Amino acid sequence: MSDKSTPLSTSALAKALAKSTKQMFAELESLSWIKRDKDSWVLTPKGEFEGGRYRESHKFGRYIIWPSDTVRHNALVSADAHLLSSADIGKAFSLSRRRAELILQEIGWMTPGRKGWLLTALGEAVGGSQRENSATGVPYVMWPDGLVDNAVLIDRVVGLEKGGDDVARFLCCDGHQVCCEAERHIDNWLYLSGLLHAYGRPLPCDEKLTADFYLPQHQLYIEYWGKENSQGTVSAKMKKKEQFISMGVNLIELNDEDVLNLDETLPRMLLKYNIET
C-alpha cells in the first residue's frame, strides 16, 4: 500500500482494494463521487467532499487522485471481504465454480432463479447471505469461510466426487450402480444438472445391447468409450457403434479426456441437441 501522505490515482486505489480498475470506476460512479462527461471522468461535489482532486500530467493529462486513507472508507471496503463465493468453495475442493454451484443446489442451500442463484432457508441457516450484482441485478449467494469445514458439504463432495467406500465406490448419488469411476462421474453430472436419465437401458433392437445413458425426454444416448483392455471389449464397442449408426439415433460419445473436463465438454455437446444446462 502507498505511503499515508501519498494520494492515490483511481487505478492505484483499485489495486489497494484488490479490485479491477473498471470495477473501481463503476463503484465510484454508483456512489456519485464521479460522473462521466463525454470521454472523461469528472468529480462531483460529493467526490470533492470525499477528498477527490485533479492532477495534471504531461503523459496522462488530467486525472483524479484520492487521499491515501480512502482505502479505509466504509463505502469502499467490501462487506464480503471475508465471505466465499461459489467459485471460492469450488477452489477449496478442487472443483469448478459450476460444479460447486450444483452441489450447493443439490444439498438444498440455494436454488436457481430466473438469473443467478437464490438463498434458501437451509442455506441461510448455515450462514449464507443473499447478494445482488449492482450493475446487472443478478442475484448470487456468499458463504461464510467456515463452510468449507461443514460436515454435510464435505460428505456430499466426497460422495459425489471422490466415491464412497470400496464396496459402493461406483454407487451414484441417484442410486444407479455403474461399472466404473468414469461412468459414476457422468451419472452424477447428469443428476446434478437436473437431466432425467436411465443407465444401462436396452437398445430398441434385436441385439441384446444396452446404452450407457439415455435421456428419454430428449431421445438422446450417451456412450462412454473407455480405455480398451481386451479384444472382446473392442469388438463389443464396434458392434454397439454399428447398431447406433444403423438406428440413426442421436448420440454423444465421450472418451477419457472428455470425462476429465465434463463441465466444459458435455454442455457443449448437449447444446448441439438444444439441451441447456
Side-chain angles (χ1 to χ4, degrees):
M1 188 177 295
S2 300
D3 183 83
K4 290 183 179 181
S5 61
T6 304
L8 303 171
S9 66
T10 303
S11 58
L13 179 63
K15 184 176 181 180
L17 291 169
K19 301 177 181 181
S20 69
T21 300
K22 182 178 180 180
Q23 179 185 3
M24 193 76 264
F25 275 108
E27 287 189 25
L28 294 174
E29 183 182 27
S30 67
L31 290 169
S32 298
W33 290 13
I34 60 174
K35 65 179 181 180
R36 198 71 173 169
D37 183 17
K38 297 180 181 178
D39 295 327
S40 302
W41 290 104
V42 297
L43 282 165
T44 64
K46 189 173 181 180
E48 292 178 352
F49 174 79
E50 297 293 346
R53 297 291 184 269
Y54 292 109
R55 173 174 285 178
E56 297 290 340
S57 166
H58 291 297
K59 184 176 182 180
F60 301 108
R62 190 176 75 161
Y63 63 97
I64 299 171
I65 58 174
W66 306 93
S68 59
D69 59 2
T70 305
V71 297
R72 294 186 292 276
H73 198 290
N74 290 336
L76 298 178
V77 178
S78 174
D80 294 343
H82 300 294
L83 297 181
L84 302 178
S85 66
S86 297
D88 294 327
I89 290 176
K91 188 179 296 184
F93 292 101
S94 299
L95 305 174
S96 68
R97 175 189 60 80
R98 176 62 175 167
R99 193 71 169 180
E101 288 174 341
L102 291 175
I103 290 176
L104 292 169
Q105 176 192 3
E106 197 272 343
I107 295 174
W109 290 348
M110 65 182 192
T111 186
R114 290 188 61 187
K115 290 185 177 180
W117 293 95
L118 301 175
L119 183 68
T120 65
L122 288 175
E124 187 174 5
V126 295
S129 301
Q130 186 70 63
R131 295 289 187 270
E132 182 178 286
N133 186 294
S134 59
T136 64
V138 174
Y140 62 97
V141 179
M142 298 295 289
W143 305 95
D145 55 9
L147 195 73
V148 295
D149 297 318
N150 182 282
V152 173
L153 177 60
I154 292 173
D155 287 346
R156 210 65 187 125
V157 170
V158 170
L160 290 167
E161 301 298 320
K162 311 300 181 183
D165 55 32
D166 291 339
V167 175
R169 65 185 183 278
F170 302 139
L171 178 65
C172 305
C173 55
D174 61 1
H176 288 152
Q177 185 80 41
V178 297
C179 296
C180 63
E181 183 67 18
E183 287 186 349
R184 192 179 69 83
H185 279 301
I186 297 168
D187 193 285
N188 284 344
W189 192 96
L190 294 172
Y191 168 74
L192 289 174
S193 297
L195 294 173
L196 177 66
H197 61 283
Y199 175 76
R201 178 183 183 274
L203 295 179
C205 62
D206 294 333
E207 299 284 347
K208 291 184 178 181
L209 301 173
T210 59
D212 288 341
F213 302 96
Y214 177 64
L215 279 58
Q217 294 174 324
H218 307 282
Q219 298 183 337
L220 173 67
Y221 293 89
I222 298 177
E223 283 295 312
Y224 162 64
W225 306 121
K227 294 179 180 179
E228 314 301 345
N229 298 316
S230 67
Q231 184 61 39
T233 304
V234 175
S235 175
K237 169 184 174 180
M238 295 307 299
K239 186 175 183 180
K240 190 188 288 190
K241 288 195 71 168
E242 290 174 359
Q243 186 61 52
F244 278 125
I245 293 173
S246 67
M247 291 167 57
V249 297
N250 293 329
L251 173 67
I252 285 178
E253 300 178 74
L254 300 173
N255 56 36
D256 289 307
E257 184 177 351
D258 296 326
V259 173
L260 291 175
N261 299 281
L262 282 179
D263 287 333
E264 297 179 10
T265 58
L266 202 44
R268 184 173 64 250
M269 293 177 176
L270 289 168
L271 198 56
K272 293 180 180 179
Y273 299 97
N274 298 315
I275 304 172
E276 295 187 22
T277 58

